[in-house]
Amino acid sequence: MEQSGGFFSFLLENLTQFMSYTGFANFTIGHGIMILVGLFFIYLAIAKEYEPMLLIPIGFGIIVGNIPFSPGYQIGIYENGSVLNYLYYGVIQGVYPPLIFLGIGAMTDFSALISNPKLLLIGAAAQLGIFGAYMAALLIGFSPEEAGAIGIIGGADGPTAIFLSSRLAPELMGAIAISAYSYMALVPVIQPPVMRLLTTKKERLIRMKPPRQVTKLEKILFPIVGMLLTTFIVPSGLPLLGMLFFGNLLKESTVTKRLADTAKGPMIDIVTILIGLTVGASTQATTFLTAKSIGIFALGAISFVVATFGGVMFVKIFNIFLKEGNKMNPLIGNAGVSAVPDSARVSQVVGLEYDKTNHLLMHAMGPNVAGVIGSAVAAGILLSFLS
């Protein structure tokens, strides 16, 4: 009987110890909220098809990062030696964003921008959202470094937001990255009302001249000249701008097709999986559910609206100085943010609502790719005076 009693005591003690290690014993309301957020992202990706390539890795990462556990087993993303911690290294050291830019460069056609260089100005004007959010963040009490990292959300560029926040405010990186990717996914929802509010029906019907044909030599020279010009002006943007233009040269040279295919295919897919999963997993309830995160989400929404405002209003003002027949349709102004090609598609969709034969996509791609360059330059500017 004594042996039997000892066995049951041993069994009960181990069972109790096992239960204390389970997720059920360590579960908090915060974990539950974050798991629901992750499920919501997955729902948006599958049911609404909002940026599924980004929202599914991020949403699943949020769930992974919020599975409750007892510390000390080297399984959490913030525990040294864990697999997730090693994968997260590429985020906190800013390794993944330049690799993403390499892939973006290899898949981007700058022809629309080369054929009509003034579209570059729209991409610059839309960066107003970055500096607007930066000033708003300063006003509500964020430090200059935090405000700079938050402001970059207005560039509608997730990799740039991660790169800059890893340098300026790593403690806010999870909230900034989630906010940036969330609003990128919601571009088709956020931008159209602002575009309709700022334009008249007559302006929405403006037809633009077809872009001229761009020569192969121009396409090859563009990434070389573009890299030299932008990085001489903003050397701190070199990791992003250098990789962007390098990827584009791989594409346009036409003699490195295998390298370009790798950069825009398997490589960018692998990095997207790693960056999405680890950024999502970094949003643990204890570090994410704070008043600062709510402020970042609010500022992110404002920055997108301001960026759209800046792009559309710039085209309207620029049109004052253009002759009849050369005017630009202000509906392409929203595409100055660097959410490629989603914001350009929004220009096309809204334009077709008023004229089924007026296709704006090609014209909108000019400011859209300019926005990629513009957000990287803006990140370099912020980095140069805040780091």
Side-chain angles (χ1 to χ4, degrees):
M1 289 294 289
E2 283 184 8
Q3 281 186 341
S4 175
F7 171 75
F8 282 114
S9 296
F10 172 80
L11 191 62
L12 184 61
E13 183 181 332
N14 280 276
L15 189 59
T16 304
Q17 187 176 0
F18 168 74
M19 287 301 294
S20 70
Y21 292 145
T22 65
F24 297 106
N26 293 286
F27 182 80
T28 66
I29 296 297
H31 290 123
I33 292 172
M34 291 308 297
I35 288 172
L36 288 175
V37 170
L39 291 172
F40 180 62
F41 274 37
I42 293 172
Y43 164 77
L44 289 178
I46 297 174
K48 302 293 183 182
E49 297 188 12
Y50 290 163
E51 295 285 351
M53 303 281 279
L54 296 172
L55 291 191
I56 284 186
I58 292 176
F60 200 81
I62 293 174
I63 297 173
V64 169
N66 284 280
I67 299 298
F69 63 87
S70 298
Y73 287 90
Q74 294 186 325
I75 54 175
I77 194 165
Y78 294 114
E79 292 185 308
N80 289 331
S82 73
V83 173
L84 285 174
N85 185 258
Y86 279 116
L87 296 179
Y88 192 47
Y89 184 83
V91 173
I92 58 176
Q93 295 300 321
V95 175
Y96 296 149
L99 293 177
I100 296 261
F101 262 65
L102 177 64
I104 291 172
M107 65 174 67
T108 300
D109 184 352
F110 285 104
S111 296
L113 184 60
I114 298 170
S115 69
N116 192 359
K118 62 178 178 287
L119 297 177
L120 184 66
L121 299 174
I122 304 174
Q127 307 312 315
L128 182 67
I130 292 177
F131 295 98
Y134 169 66
M135 288 186 283
L138 282 179
L139 286 174
I140 63 174
F142 284 97
S143 70
E145 293 80 9
E146 291 174 337
I150 293 168
I152 203 69
I153 296 171
D157 195 324
T160 305
I162 290 171
F163 179 78
L164 194 64
S165 56
S166 71
R167 293 288 180 273
L168 298 179
E171 72 281 3
L172 300 181
M173 186 162 48
I176 290 171
I178 296 294
S179 179
Y181 279 118
S182 301
Y183 290 125
M184 281 170 63
L186 293 175
V187 158
V189 177
I190 295 172
Q191 290 196 320
V194 182
M195 295 159 66
R196 294 188 189 102
L197 182 67
L198 296 176
T199 54
T200 64
K201 186 176 179 182
K202 183 181 177 184
E203 288 172 326
R204 295 173 207 139
L205 295 173
I206 292 176
R207 283 179 177 268
M208 297 175 65
K209 287 182 178 177
R212 69 173 175 83
Q213 286 293 316
V214 176
T215 66
K216 181 181 176 182
L217 180 62
E218 286 177 297
K219 290 183 178 182
I220 292 173
L221 288 177
F222 181 80
I224 299 171
V225 175
M227 196 276 285
L228 288 171
L229 280 178
T230 54
T231 56
F232 264 75
I233 295 170
V234 191
S236 48
L238 183 60
L240 297 176
L241 292 164
M243 296 298 260
L244 175 72
F245 287 121
F246 173 49
N248 190 244
L249 182 61
L250 291 178
K251 170 180 181 288
E252 300 299 353
S253 69
T254 67
V255 294
T256 51
K257 187 174 183 302
R258 274 176 46 204
L259 300 183
D261 288 344
T262 300
K264 70 181 181 183
M267 194 202 71
I268 198 170
D269 287 346
I270 291 169
V271 180
T272 299
I273 289 170
L274 294 176
I275 203 171
L277 185 69
T278 51
V279 164
S282 71
T283 59
Q284 293 183 345
T286 50
T287 60
F288 191 79
L289 293 177
T290 64
K292 279 191 172 181
S293 295
I294 295 170
I296 290 168
F297 269 88
L299 288 167
I302 292 169
S303 69
F304 260 66
V305 172
V306 174
T308 307
F309 172 88
V312 174
M313 289 306 296
F314 176 82
V315 177
K316 285 168 68 81
I317 295 169
F318 203 71
N319 274 344
I320 297 172
F321 305 98
L322 296 176
K323 294 178 180 176
E324 201 62 40
N326 288 329
K327 294 187 183 298
M328 296 185 286
N329 191 313
L331 291 179
I332 69 170
N334 73 298
V337 300
S338 68
V340 180
D342 293 345
S343 53
R345 284 183 187 144
V346 170
S347 306
Q348 167 84 352
V349 170
V350 177
L352 289 178
E353 288 177 9
Y354 299 92
D355 182 350
K356 297 293 183 191
T357 61
N358 191 9
H359 296 278
L360 297 174
L361 184 61
M362 179 55 74
H363 303 291
M365 283 305 295
N368 209 183
V369 296
V372 177
I373 301 171
S375 63
V377 170
I381 292 171
L382 289 168
L383 198 58
S384 64
F385 71 85
L386 291 175
S387 62

